[in-house]
Amino acid sequence: FTFYGGLYRDVNFIEVNDAHFDLLLDGTQAVFVTPHNVGKTRVDLFPVNAEGATIAVELKDAEGNVVGETTTTDTKVSFVIENVHKWQARKDPYLYTATVKLEDCDTVSARFGCRGFVIDPDRGFILNGEEYPLRGVARHQDRWGIGNALLPEHHAEDVDLIMEVGATTIRLAHYQHNQYFYDLCDEKGLVLWAEIPYITTHLENGMENTRTQMTELIIQNYNHPSIVVW
């Protein structure tokens, strides 16, 4: 396969107030949601120039109902979602949304799914306490005449084709794929293995670059319930 030059993910021009959620934290929205399949959910926030500022945190279910809310000056907030609706992969890929507002300065949101999993050498992949067979494909972000700068409709078509063959999982080889593709997999319930371009042999003096890419992959995609292996 070919590594192309140029831009292959979205580019955004973002203007913010002096007080805002950190945009320089390895390219994230600076809002990290850590959910569990029993409903316990922690939200970690990274505001900038906002010491003592009030932050409103709101959790909503897929129907738009508020299932948790608070106003705080802390940067770590915990909730318990009552009667939690679990993210059950293709069976039921249910998503919640966390919205955080830094006074009148900045607002960001992140979708998340409540799930727990175990990878067992004897029983395989166990999702929310139930065995869930992983059968799937490896996917490259690549098209004839386009390279790897795919448009949203191309990502959607790939997901539709993968769903059509009955796959439950995708290995995303060998680099960080477009955010839109992760979003689609969250929505469709496809279980993901996400990678950086670290293949076969280690480049001399390449460890720092490898660690940086892995850190960015994890931090930028932390909120996606579809990803279970980094």
Side-chain angles (χ1 to χ4, degrees):
F1 68 96
T2 303
F3 276 119
Y4 303 92
L7 300 169
Y8 74 97
R9 286 185 276 155
D10 292 349
V11 177
N12 302 286
F13 183 86
I14 303 173
E15 182 177 359
V16 294
N17 295 304
D18 288 340
H20 58 273
F21 291 106
D22 196 350
L23 293 168
L24 301 179
L25 187 63
D26 291 308
T28 74
Q29 288 187 314
V31 175
F32 300 89
V33 184
T34 307
H36 300 277
N37 62 341
V38 293
K40 294 180 180 179
T41 302
R42 190 183 79 238
V43 182
D44 292 83
L45 311 166
F46 291 84
V48 175
N49 300 324
E51 185 175 353
T54 299
I55 302 174
V57 184
E58 183 180 70
L59 307 184
K60 287 186 177 181
D61 62 19
E63 291 73 43
N65 302 307
V66 176
V67 295
E69 59 182 338
T70 189
T71 301
T72 181
T73 56
D74 294 331
T75 56
K76 296 182 186 294
V77 184
S78 294
F79 298 91
V80 175
I81 301 174
E82 300 293 339
N83 302 313
V84 64
H85 194 144
K86 300 175 184 179
W87 189 86
Q88 297 275 36
R90 286 195 60 162
K91 296 178 182 177
D92 187 7
Y94 194 87
L95 296 171
Y96 290 87
T97 301
T99 301
V100 295
K101 185 174 183 179
L102 178 61
E103 293 187 341
D104 294 324
C105 301
D106 197 10
T107 302
V108 296
S109 63
R111 294 191 306 179
F112 65 96
C114 293
R115 51 97 173 109
F117 67 89
V118 174
I119 299 174
D120 185 271
D122 298 315
R123 298 176 60 198
F125 183 71
I126 301 168
L127 179 65
N128 299 322
E130 299 180 3
E131 294 181 13
Y132 187 77
L134 297 181
R135 304 185 181 97
V137 299
R139 185 247 185 182
H140 273 289
Q141 184 173 296
D142 183 276
R143 287 280 177 124
W144 173 257
I146 299 174
N148 60 353
L150 271 63
L151 297 174
E153 53 264 37
H154 302 133
H155 294 292
E157 184 177 52
D158 281 359
V159 168
D160 288 343
L161 291 169
I162 292 168
M163 296 283 287
E164 184 179 330
V165 301
T168 59
T169 188
I170 309 173
R171 175 200 176 198
L172 295 179
H174 294 283
Y175 37 81
Q176 187 162 336
H177 289 229
N178 192 291
Q179 280 286 335
Y180 182 60
F181 193 82
Y182 300 123
D183 289 340
L184 290 173
C185 291
D186 290 343
E187 296 169 7
K188 299 295 185 179
L190 290 163
V191 175
L192 299 182
W193 166 301
E195 295 186 0
I196 60 170
Y198 179 65
I199 308 160
T200 310
T201 59
H202 185 70
L203 290 176
E204 186 177 353
N205 302 318
M207 182 59 74
E208 183 178 352
N209 179 274
T210 300
R211 287 174 172 160
T212 298
Q213 289 200 54
M214 181 59 83
T215 297
E216 291 176 347
L217 175 72
I218 294 171
I219 289 180
Q220 291 175 15
N221 298 289
Y222 184 87
N223 296 321
H224 291 288
S226 54
I227 302 177
V228 301
V229 175
W230 307 97

